[in-house]
Structure formats: C-alpha cells, structure tokens
Amino acid sequence: MRIRGAVGLLLGLLCAVEAAKVNKHKPWIETTYHGIVTENDDKVLLDPPLIALDKDAPLRYAESFEVTFTKEGEICGFRIHGQNVPFEAVVLDKSTGEGGIRAKDKLDCELQKEHTFTIQAYDCGEGPEGDNMKKSHKATVHIRVNDVNEYSPVFKEKSYKTTVIEGKKYDSILKVEAVDADCSFQFNQICSYEIVTPDVPFSIDKDGNIKNTEKLNYSKDRMYKLTVTAYDCGKNRASEDVLVKINIKPTCKPSWQGFNKRIEYEPGTGSLALFPSMHLETCEEPITSIQASIMLETNHIGKGCDRDTYSEKSLHKLCGASTGTVELLPAPSTSANWTIGLPTDNGHDSDQVFEFNGTQAIKVPEGVVSTTLKEPFTISVWMRHGPGSREKETILCNSDKTEMNRHHYSLYVHNCRLVLLLRQEPTESENYKPAEFHWKLDQVCDKEWHHYVLNIEFPAVILFVDGATFEPFLVTEDYPLHASKIETQLTIGACWQDLSGHDNDTETLSEPLTGGSARMTQYFRGNLAGLMIRSGKLENKKVIDCLYTCKEGLDVQLPEEVASAVKVEFNPNQSSLSLEGDDIESFEKVMQHISYLNSRQFPTPGIRHLRVTTTVKCFNEETCISVPDSEGYVMVLQPEEPKISLSGIDHFARGAAEFESTEGVTLFPELRIVSTITREVEVEAETEAEGEDDPTVQETVVSEEIMHNLDTCEVTVVGDDLNGDHESLEVDLAQIQQRTLEMSSSNVGMVITGVNTMANYEQVLHLIRYRNWHTEALFDRKFKLVCSELNGRYISNEFKVEVNVIHTANPMDHANNAMVQPQFINQVQHASVDLSGHNLVNTHQASVVPSAATIVIVVCVSFLVFMIILGVFRIRAAHQSTMRDQENGKENEMDWDDSALTITVNPMETYEDQHSSEEEGDEEEEESEDGEEEDDITSAESDSSEDEGGEQEDQQGSSRQQQLEWDDSTLNY
C-alpha cells in the first residue's frame, strides 16, 4: 500500500509539472516608474525597482525536493518604447524578473533635464524556441537627470559704463548681471558678486547692484575703474571678471560750455570768432528767455582801447577837423620843447601820456595860443583822474602873469566835478554873466580814461564825455573882468600866479620859469593826454565820435535765420554788446558769430579780457537758474615790426654860387623811403641723397616790402646850429600844405609833421633846400634825417648827408689848362651800407666869384696845384704798371697822352651825367682849397683799383662806372 501511495504521489507531481510547462500568463510590472540619473553616471535609480512577475513561474518547494525548473515563467527582457531614448533596460535576473535601466551615453542636463518613455517586460515563452512569448503591459518611466556644477558664471556684458554726478549717494549706480549654464537651480543660480578692486568707495550686493559708499568728488577723481566677479551657488567663480567704469560728472551747474579761455589774434587777419563752439548748459531746466552781455575790457590799452597813436593834432586832421588846432601837450621835440622834463607814460605803444603827481606843471610859451574868448572855441582832452580831492586840481589855466592873479579861463576838477571857469573880458555893460559851469560826473573820479570835449560858444557850453552829451547842473555868474594891460600866462597842471607882495603857501616850482616870486598853485593829480584848443571853431558830433572811436572792438554777423530771433545792441565804442532772445538754439548761433576785430595795421600787443554775463528766466518769469560769468581773454600777438630805411646820396659838393642862390642846394635829391618786414617762412628744399624723394621743409627768413604812413620827418643840423643871419633850411610851403602836412623850423633844423604816405613824404623831402649867402668861411655842412611812424613807435635809420662847398677864384693865365673843380657825390642804397671813398664828377660851369684874396691865398692855391700835378704823375705810373699785368684793358682805367689834362668821372648809377661842367684856365688861378683833398682821394681810389685787380672786377663789375677815367689827349708834359 505504501508503495502504491508513493507512486501515485509521484505521478501527480509529474502531471503537475507537465501542466506547468504551458505558458498561460503575461508578465506583470508596475504601471509607473520614477528614476534619477546623474550627468556623469549611467545608472538610473528607479522607484519602485524594476521587477517583472509571471504566474507561470514554478513553485519552489522544500529543499528536500529536487525540482528542475524550465524557462516557462522566466523574464527574458524589457523593451523601451520611444524615439531617441538615451536609455536601455537590462534583465538582471531572469528567474526573479529583476531588471534595471541605464544610460546609453553620457547625459547632459543642460540639453535635456527630464526623459519620459514606456517600458514593457516579456517572458521567455514555451519550449526551447520560446514559443508563445507573453508581454506585459506598458509602464511609464520618468527619469530626471541630476546636474553637475560644471559651468562657471559668465557676465552678460563685456564691460559696464555709467556716469554719476558728484556730491550724491546713490541706492544703485548700475547693476551687473552674470549667468550660469548649469541646468539645476542649485548650480545655475548666482549666489554672490564681489568687487575685486581694493579701496574704492563702492559696494555691490548679491543681486549685482553697485552703489557708492560715500559722496564722490569730481576734483578728486573723475573716473573709477572697478573689477567685479561673480559666484554661483556651487562656489564656482566667474570665468572672467568684468570691468566697470564709473565717470564722475561735476554737479550740473548751468554755464556756458565750449568756451576757450585763451584766444590768439594775429594782426592783419580781420575778424576772429570768439565763441565758435559755445553752447549753454541749462541742466534741463525749461528756459523762456535769456539775456547776455559780452564785455571786452581794454582799459589797460592806451587811453582805454587800441587807437592810433598819432599826435592829437594829426588825429584831428584824420577825423576831418579843420585847421586851427593847437596842441598844448605835444611830444617833446626841438620845435615844441615845453613838455620836456614832464613825466610820461611810454608803456602803451608810444601813446603820449603825461603824468601829473601834484608837483609838476608846465608853462605854454607865448604865441602858441591866441584864443579870443569872444569867439567860439573848443577844448578837448583825455583825462584819467583818481579819487576826488577837496582842493581844486587845475587842468588848464590862463591867468595874469603879474600882479592881480586873475583867472581869465581855466578847466579844473573839484570834488569829482568838472568845472569850466570863463570870465568875460571888459564890456560896456557891467552886468552879471555866466562864469562857472559845473558838471557832476562819475567819470571824473573812476580812475579810467575818458575823452572830454567842451564846445564853448558863450553863453552856451556843451560837454561831450566819451561821445555822450552832458548839460551843466550848475552855472554861476560873475562880473566881467576889469580892463587891464597885464599879460596872461597859460599853464597846464596848475595855475600861475605872481606872489609879489602877497603871502601864499603854495608850492614853488623846482625850476621856476620866471622870477623867484612866481609860483604855481592848484596842482593836478592824474594823467592827461591830447590837450587841444581850437580857436574860432566848433567841433561837430561826427568829429568827436571819430576821435573817441576805438580801432578794436566786438563785431557780430547775424545769420539770416536768427536775425529776427535775437536782439543785439552795441555800446558806442563797441567794447560791449548785449543779446536778448527766447530761443536757446538761435541765441547760441548768435553767440558763435561774435568776433573780435582790430583794424590797426600795427595793433598794440597784449591781453584783452573777455567777460560774458548771462541771465535766464523760466516759465514763472522768475530767475530759476543762475549762470555764472564766463571769463577769458584775447591775446593780440606782436605784429611784424616794420624797418623804415632811408637811402640816397649822402655826400656831394656844390659850388658856392649855388648855396648863395635863391634856390639853394637840394639836400635829398634822390632820397628813397622803404619799409620792410622780416618774417620766417617754411620752404621745401629738395635733397640730393639717393632714396630721399620727399622734400625737406626748412625755415628761411624773407624780407617783404610794405606800405604804411609816416607822421614825422625831422631834419637836424649836425654840428653848429644854423645862423639865421646867413643860412637857412627852406621848403615850398605850398607843396607842404597841398599834402596836408605842416612844417616847423628852428636854428637846429626842420620838422615836417602830419599823417601821410611815404611817397608824399619822399616828394616833400626832395624839396628841402639849404641856403647860405655867406660861404667864404664855409667848407662843409652836415645834416641828419630821421622819419617815424605812430608818434615814434617805429623810427627809421639816421640818414646823414654831408655837403661840401666848392670855392672858386678869379681866372688867371697859365701855361697849361687847369683841372676842372670836381664835386663830391656818393650815393648809398641803404644807410647801413658802408661805402669808402668819394667819386669825382665834373662841376657845373662855375661863375667867377669876386674875391678879396690876398697873396697868401694865391701862394696856397699854387702849392695845391703843384701837389695835384705830382698826384697825376703818380696815377700815370700806377696805371702803366697795371696795364702790363692785365691782358685786356678796362674801360674804366686811366689813359694818358701829351695834351692838356681833363678829368671825367662816372658817379654811381643814375648820377653819371649830373652836375658835370668844365672850367679851363691857369693852374694858379683855377684850383680851390680842396684840390689837395680831391687829388688824395683820386690817388687812393687808383691804388685800391690796382691792388684788387681782377677779383675786384668780378665782385664789383656793376660799379665800374664809378672808376676814374682819364683823357690825356690835351695833356702836355
């Protein structure tokens, strides 16, 4: 029974195993899986684990049973469904159905952070061939790729730049920003920023905002350069730090921008734009109107600005004033010497300014002024006066020379008032008449130069100050003067009074001009210039404006599009202008067209200060912003100084008869006046070196002739003064007046004054003649000529002329014909050229001058003739020696024959045929006292020619006509 039971059980088991070989069930897996994988790993951690179950799997019995398992119920694999899934599923244990998922390649979280796909399990099927394979359902798998901190932060900009205004603390000046390429929040976030640059007044927060930790100062630092870095949350530092530039801008202050403080002006270039790039910074304030004034400060130049520095008398003529003007403060000269010794201010371009310090005064000589107060007359003066004084300060005073000390008329300053005293001469009626005219003026005491003109046509007196008219605020009356025969004295800088029999505490002149009892009182303290009296004439407003108008000033050429938008006004001398408008753009265009102009040919160099004052208004019609004054200066450069050269014949001789004739002897027959300027120019010089094709720029000095006016030419005697009893300098006054010039003469020479061209001065100087009607004891006279421009600012060379007197005697018979008396002529092309010796020319046919010569003179003349004959033989010997040494004879050498002697001379250049004459007679009667001198000169020239030889001919071929030529056809020996 036991055996039967065991067999039955075994059969049952075998039947069960056979039944199990049939694959009836599908594998089973979870419906959803979640996995995590790291970028640098391929293993995926799944939740839940990947396990497939199959009901077909055999049961496991006790270990005592030996069971042979078949493949039915085993899991043979997992299949992933999806496109481009970078994962694969593997079976780790077929019997248990355990599997896993792994990455095929290295994953990149930055490219794809999550992956989703489906997975399906399948069993091994039935039998060896795996028939009837069963698949599980599809399960969804979600896999997240975990990030690795592989990237560093990178700034979005290569650099950062901003501008801040000084004096403010900002919450944020600018923000820098960096990014991280990592995919995870942990590693792609920037956790902090840092300023690497040490010791800077800035900080940065975690969001990249930079702010200043203290107020910034533009004067201390105008720009800061910061280096900034960033860190991500994984502590990775930025791959490259970034540069941050922070410019510091001054506190926005409304002002004119683009204004050059130094502006250079080159003389002769016309107008120069002062503000070509100027614009107004308004700090974004809404402006409704704008006003500006531009001031050109020239008070330190001359008498308030740049004017021609001719004498006041010349300026009156240039301005169209008629004749009759008397200059009371002329430049010291031989003809006007009463200002000699008076302190002058010569520091302003030769502008003649006289200084009065309260101790100096001058007397005007008698006859200079012959003003009759019954007629209209004019007084004009330039004056600079300081603070007022309680004492009277006299500018001009005409008072009694002796005894009564009455003031006939005077102009003085008292308590900043200008007062004209005008006492009437005795008349039939003894009624009160206007006597003192008072003007209270700020200009009198402001220490600035002002031009005063008083037009006096009694009883009316009109005052012009800088071209503006002023009426007297007070007129006092007085009786006319009593009749008197006392002469008057005109003084400047004080009043003259006689103290005989009077006690007076006034000061005494250091050098009294009259007796010791005469003194000055009411001294003036200040500067005066151009003091003039015009008798019998009233100056009109046009002349006054011309005298006052400056040669420099501001100018503006308004563009057409803005001419109506901006109002422009000038002051009379154009030293200031005012602008007014409501459009800033148009206003700026007008400012850019304002220019400086100096019309003088030779302006005064130096600085002219500029000041721009501006006022703006906003919509509320109030001054909303304040625009500070802009200051600068115009630098007028030094003009090219002209060199005035006088040249001509500087040595000649004439017969005594010519000196004694009514025409006299012309002193400057061939005078030339030339003015040149010297300047440096750049020229291109070609180089001869090989490979140097480019020319070399070199600086060279060139001289250029220019034309300008002259205002003075003075002829003075060198040596003894002229003796008016028998000699004089004369000129055709009609020719002088025709050229609006004036002439004054004295025993020391002649002065020609007036502004005129160099050509006109040449013509007048050609007419100056020297006469001497007592020539017996005269052998030579020397003169000096000097011309100048602009009141002595530019002075010519001293051109000296020597004239010799040829004395002639009564003719006497002689065996041989006498030599002709020669004249001295020596022409120079420039005063600096040194010409040695004198040239001989034939004289004019000399008239026989009656003489009271004694036997001594006859013996002396005979001796001189003898010396000349010896000199002739010496010259002949030298000539023959020279002819033997030279192959070709020269046309200017000496030839001899046996006939009488004749001397023929070609003077320099154009004077070859001038002043030639011939006189024949006995040798004892013909020769003058200078015959010996002439013979010595002739011999010297001949010897010099012999010594120099052919080299002299090459260097001075153009001067051959100056050599001596001898004609021996009439010489008997």
Side-chain angles (χ1 to χ4, degrees):
M1 286 296 293
R2 290 181 179 178
I3 296 173
R4 186 179 295 174
V7 171
L9 178 60
L10 180 59
L11 290 175
L13 290 172
L14 290 174
C15 291
V17 170
E18 289 295 332
K21 290 182 180 180
V22 180
N23 190 14
K24 298 181 180 179
H25 303 282
K26 297 178 179 180
W28 178 89
I29 58 177
E30 298 288 343
T31 58
T32 303
Y33 294 91
H34 294 275
I36 298 174
V37 64
T38 305
E39 280 185 311
N40 56 2
D41 195 2
D42 60 351
K43 184 177 181 181
V44 180
L45 298 178
L46 291 175
D47 182 25
L50 180 60
I51 297 176
L53 299 177
D54 194 334
K55 291 182 179 182
D56 294 325
L59 297 177
R60 294 179 180 274
Y61 293 95
E63 294 181 359
S64 59
F65 291 93
E66 292 182 3
V67 180
T68 302
F69 292 94
T70 61
K71 64 180 181 181
E72 289 80 3
E74 290 185 352
I75 303 301
C76 281
F78 296 91
R79 182 173 296 173
I80 294 176
H81 300 276
Q83 294 182 352
N84 302 323
V85 177
F87 296 96
E88 62 182 0
V90 296
V91 177
L92 299 179
D93 190 342
K94 291 183 178 182
S95 60
T96 62
E98 182 181 359
I101 298 176
R102 64 186 179 186
K104 295 180 182 179
D105 298 312
K106 185 177 180 181
L107 299 176
D108 192 347
C109 176
E110 288 73 33
L111 294 178
Q112 189 169 348
K113 192 175 182 180
E114 293 183 350
H115 298 269
T116 300
F117 53 88
T118 57
I119 190 171
Q120 190 176 30
Y122 59 90
D123 57 20
C124 295
E126 299 175 357
E129 300 299 329
D131 297 332
N132 196 20
M133 181 184 297
K134 302 292 183 180
K135 297 179 182 180
S136 69
H137 62 274
K138 293 180 180 180
T140 302
V141 180
H142 301 280
I143 298 178
R144 186 180 74 246
V145 180
N146 278 352
D147 187 24
V148 174
N149 193 12
E150 56 183 330
Y151 292 101
S152 298
V154 177
F155 287 95
K156 289 185 175 181
E157 304 290 340
K158 292 183 178 180
S159 63
Y160 293 86
K161 184 177 181 180
T162 189
T163 300
V164 296
I165 299 175
E166 66 173 347
K168 294 178 62 177
K169 289 192 69 175
Y170 294 83
D171 294 333
S172 177
I173 293 176
L174 62 84
K175 181 178 180 179
V176 298
E177 187 176 358
V179 294
D180 196 308
D182 290 314
C183 65
S184 65
F185 180 82
Q186 178 184 1
F187 298 135
N188 67 5
Q189 294 298 308
I190 307 299
C191 284
S192 64
Y193 292 91
E194 180 183 351
I195 297 177
V196 180
T197 306
D199 302 326
V200 290
F202 299 94
S203 64
I204 189 170
D205 59 16
K206 63 182 182 63
D207 296 324
N209 294 306
I210 298 176
K211 65 179 181 179
N212 55 318
T213 57
E214 63 184 43
K215 292 182 180 181
L216 305 177
N217 192 333
Y218 175 79
S219 59
K220 181 180 179 180
D221 287 294
R222 298 188 178 185
M223 184 178 71
Y224 289 91
K225 293 182 179 181
L226 312 178
T227 301
V228 177
T229 191
Y231 294 90
D232 61 19
C233 294
K235 299 301 181 181
N236 271 4
R237 180 173 173 170
S239 57
E240 291 185 5
D241 298 338
V242 70
L243 178 64
V244 179
K245 295 181 180 180
I246 301 177
N247 292 311
I248 311 303
K249 183 178 179 181
T251 303
C252 185
K253 298 177 181 178
S255 62
W256 287 104
Q257 304 291 328
F259 174 40
N260 293 328
K261 291 188 176 181
R262 176 186 171 95
I263 306 165
E264 292 188 353
Y265 180 80
E266 184 176 352
T269 56
S271 296
L272 174 66
L274 297 176
F275 321 112
S277 304
M278 202 173 190
H279 68 277
L280 181 62
E281 174 62 59
T282 60
C283 295
E284 299 182 357
E285 289 286 344
I287 304 301
T288 58
S289 67
I290 179 171
Q291 296 177 342
S293 63
I294 298 89
M295 297 289 297
L296 179 68
E297 299 178 4
T298 59
N299 294 336
H300 60 293
I301 303 296
K303 296 188 291 290
C305 66
D306 209 1
R307 297 181 175 89
D308 285 329
T309 55
Y310 296 120
S311 67
E312 198 70 18
K313 195 170 185 178
S314 297
L315 290 174
H316 275 68
K317 288 188 176 181
L318 290 175
C319 289
S322 58
T323 58
T325 300
V326 178
E327 191 170 6
L328 300 182
L329 284 176
S333 66
T334 56
S335 59
N337 58 4
W338 62 88
T339 57
I340 295 176
L342 190 65
T344 60
D345 180 5
N346 293 321
H348 297 303
D349 190 19
S350 299
D351 205 358
Q352 199 66 51
V353 174
F354 294 92
E355 180 181 357
F356 295 84
N357 61 7
T359 61
Q360 298 100 348
I362 59 173
K363 292 173 59 179
V364 179
E366 295 182 7
V368 174
V369 178
S370 58
T371 300
T372 302
L373 299 185
K374 294 180 181 180
E375 298 179 354
F377 68 99
T378 301
I379 299 176
S380 64
V381 65
W382 285 93
M383 181 177 71
R384 178 172 59 186
H385 184 257
S389 173
R390 294 184 179 181
E391 300 178 357
K392 294 181 180 180
E393 299 180 46
T394 300
I395 301 170
L396 178 69
C397 181
N398 187 25
S399 60
D400 288 339
K401 184 175 291 187
T402 58
E403 300 178 9
M404 302 180 69
N405 296 328
R406 297 175 304 172
H407 294 182
H408 292 250
Y409 64 88
S410 66
L411 181 65
Y412 61 90
V413 174
H414 187 211
N415 288 331
C416 292
R417 297 179 182 181
L418 185 66
V419 182
L420 173 66
L421 172 65
L422 187 61
R423 297 291 300 277
Q424 292 299 299
E425 298 296 332
T427 59
E428 296 179 357
S429 61
E430 297 295 330
N431 298 327
Y432 276 99
K433 294 184 178 181
E436 281 191 338
F437 301 82
H438 297 252
W439 291 271
K440 190 173 183 180
L441 304 169
D442 295 335
Q443 293 91 329
V444 172
C445 296
D446 64 359
K447 294 183 179 181
E448 301 291 344
W449 279 107
H450 297 285
H451 187 235
Y452 301 85
V453 176
L454 291 105
N455 277 335
I456 303 164
E457 189 172 15
F458 191 81
V461 179
I462 300 177
L463 173 66
F464 294 90
V465 181
D466 297 337
T469 306
F470 291 87
E471 295 291 337
F473 82 97
L474 176 64
V475 177
T476 61
E477 296 181 340
D478 201 348
Y479 282 110
L481 296 172
H482 297 290
S484 173
K485 295 183 179 181
I486 301 176
E487 295 182 352
T488 60
Q489 176 64 59
L490 183 62
T491 55
I492 300 173
C495 261
W496 176 268
Q497 67 180 36
D498 182 68
L499 301 180
S500 301
H502 301 278
D503 293 333
N504 197 301
D505 58 354
T506 55
E507 300 180 28
T508 304
L509 285 175
S510 58
E511 295 183 2
L513 300 179
T514 61
S517 61
R519 297 190 180 185
M520 294 283 189
T521 184
Q522 300 175 5
Y523 282 97
F524 178 76
R525 293 174 177 84
N527 296 97
L528 298 177
L531 180 56
M532 307 283 293
I533 285 186
R534 179 182 295 277
S535 176
K537 299 291 182 181
L538 277 174
E539 297 190 3
N540 57 40
K541 183 66 165 55
K542 183 178 180 181
V543 174
I544 295 172
D545 290 341
C546 176
L547 292 173
Y548 171 70
T549 301
C550 298
K551 293 292 185 178
E552 65 178 341
L554 301 173
D555 191 19
V556 60
Q557 300 294 331
L558 292 178
E560 294 183 0
E561 62 272 16
V562 299
S564 60
V566 180
K567 181 181 178 182
V568 181
E569 292 182 354
F570 286 91
N571 71 335
N573 63 352
Q574 290 190 305
S575 62
S576 67
L577 62 87
S578 59
L579 307 178
E580 184 176 356
D582 52 11
D583 181 66
I584 294 182
E585 183 177 354
S586 300
F587 201 93
E588 291 176 346
K589 286 185 179 180
V590 175
M591 290 289 292
Q592 293 168 5
H593 283 78
I594 295 176
S595 60
Y596 169 79
L597 175 64
N598 195 315
S599 60
R600 292 190 66 189
Q601 186 176 11
F602 305 109
T604 304
I607 291 175
R608 278 75 163 163
H609 290 281
L610 273 174
R611 181 187 297 270
V612 180
T613 304
T614 311
T615 303
V616 296
K617 292 183 178 180
C618 298
F619 285 102
N620 55 5
E621 295 296 327
E622 295 181 358
T623 302
C624 52
I625 58 175
S626 176
V627 180
D629 293 350
S630 298
E631 296 183 356
Y633 62 91
V634 177
M635 172 60 74
V636 178
L637 302 180
Q638 179 74 38
E640 300 288 347
E641 295 192 359
K643 181 180 180 181
I644 306 172
S645 302
L646 308 179
S647 61
I649 302 174
D650 66 347
H651 195 179
F652 60 89
R654 295 289 185 271
E658 292 190 37
F659 288 91
E660 297 177 358
S661 67
T662 57
E663 295 297 328
V665 175
T666 302
L667 290 182
F668 313 107
E670 300 296 336
L671 177 71
R672 284 205 63 202
I673 305 177
V674 177
S675 183
T676 58
I677 58 174
T678 302
R679 63 179 61 181
E680 292 185 356
V681 297
E682 293 183 353
V683 295
E684 294 183 355
E686 295 183 358
T687 58
E688 297 181 356
E690 295 183 359
E692 295 183 6
D693 297 334
D694 296 335
T696 303
V697 177
Q698 298 179 351
E699 289 188 355
T700 183
V701 178
V702 298
S703 183
E704 177 183 348
E705 183 173 346
I706 63 171
M707 300 300 295
H708 57 78
N709 292 330
L710 297 177
D711 59 2
T712 303
C713 280
E714 184 173 3
V715 181
T716 55
V717 180
V718 179
D720 297 336
D721 293 347
L722 294 174
N723 189 335
D725 294 336
H726 62 265
E727 61 180 341
S728 67
L729 288 175
E730 298 179 358
V731 68
D732 189 347
L733 292 179
Q735 295 292 333
I736 293 283
Q737 295 173 358
Q738 181 181 347
R739 293 170 175 80
T740 66
L741 298 174
E742 292 187 0
M743 185 273 295
S744 61
S745 61
S746 65
N747 59 344
V748 297
M750 176 185 294
V751 180
I752 300 175
T753 58
V755 181
N756 217 315
T757 64
M758 293 187 294
N760 281 337
Y761 264 94
E762 269 189 11
Q763 296 172 6
V764 170
L765 293 173
H766 289 167
L767 302 177
I768 295 179
R769 308 181 305 275
Y770 170 66
R771 289 186 61 203
N772 191 312
W773 47 93
H774 188 355
T775 60
E776 287 80 359
L778 180 66
F779 296 98
D780 59 58
R781 251 317 192 178
K782 296 179 180 179
F783 300 90
K784 179 178 67 176
L785 172 64
V786 176
C787 295
S788 64
E789 162 70 337
L790 292 173
N791 209 16
R793 179 180 178 186
Y794 302 116
I795 303 176
S796 72
N797 59 299
E798 292 185 354
F799 179 66
K800 295 182 179 180
V801 173
E802 180 179 349
V803 293
N804 297 103
V805 182
I806 302 173
H807 295 276
T808 58
N810 293 328
M812 296 177 62
D813 294 335
H814 195 272
N816 295 328
N817 294 327
M819 291 199 318
V820 176
Q821 176 64 41
Q823 295 179 351
F824 291 96
I825 293 183
N826 189 18
Q827 181 191 22
V828 294
Q829 296 300 325
H830 194 280
S832 61
V833 179
D834 183 15
L835 297 179
S836 61
H838 306 284
N839 296 324
L840 302 177
V841 297
N842 294 332
T843 63
H844 296 286
Q845 184 66 30
S847 60
V848 178
V849 179
S851 173
T854 61
I855 190 63
V856 177
I857 297 178
V858 174
V859 172
C860 292
V861 171
S862 300
F863 177 75
L864 292 176
V865 172
F866 174 73
M867 295 299 295
I868 291 175
I869 296 300
L870 289 180
V872 169
F873 280 100
R874 289 181 57 195
I875 293 173
R876 182 175 182 273
H879 172 71
Q880 291 176 349
S881 175
T882 303
M883 293 297 294
R884 288 193 301 268
D885 295 338
Q886 297 181 352
E887 295 180 0
N888 299 322
K890 298 180 177 55
E891 60 181 3
N892 57 344
E893 296 296 340
M894 298 172 289
D895 297 328
W896 293 85
D897 62 17
D898 298 335
S899 58
L901 176 63
T902 300
I903 300 177
T904 304
V905 177
N906 282 334
M908 296 172 63
E909 297 180 359
T910 61
Y911 312 106
E912 180 179 354
D913 299 328
Q914 293 183 356
H915 316 305
S916 62
S917 65
E918 182 176 334
E919 180 181 346
E920 297 181 356
D922 292 338
E923 296 174 350
E924 296 179 355
E925 300 172 348
E926 184 184 70
E927 301 299 351
S928 65
E929 292 182 2
D930 15 9
E932 181 179 0
E933 178 184 352
E934 295 167 6
D935 181 63
D936 292 341
I937 294 173
T938 305
S939 300
E941 290 182 349
S942 178
D943 293 342
S944 176
S945 176
E946 179 180 0
D947 294 339
E948 292 177 3
E951 181 180 354
Q952 176 76 9
E953 177 184 358
D954 295 337
Q955 297 178 355
Q956 300 181 356
S958 62
S959 302
R960 291 178 179 174
Q961 295 179 354
Q962 301 178 16
Q963 301 290 335
L964 296 176
E965 295 184 359
W966 293 86
D967 184 3
D968 57 0
S969 60
T970 60
L971 181 62
N972 295 326
Y973 57 95

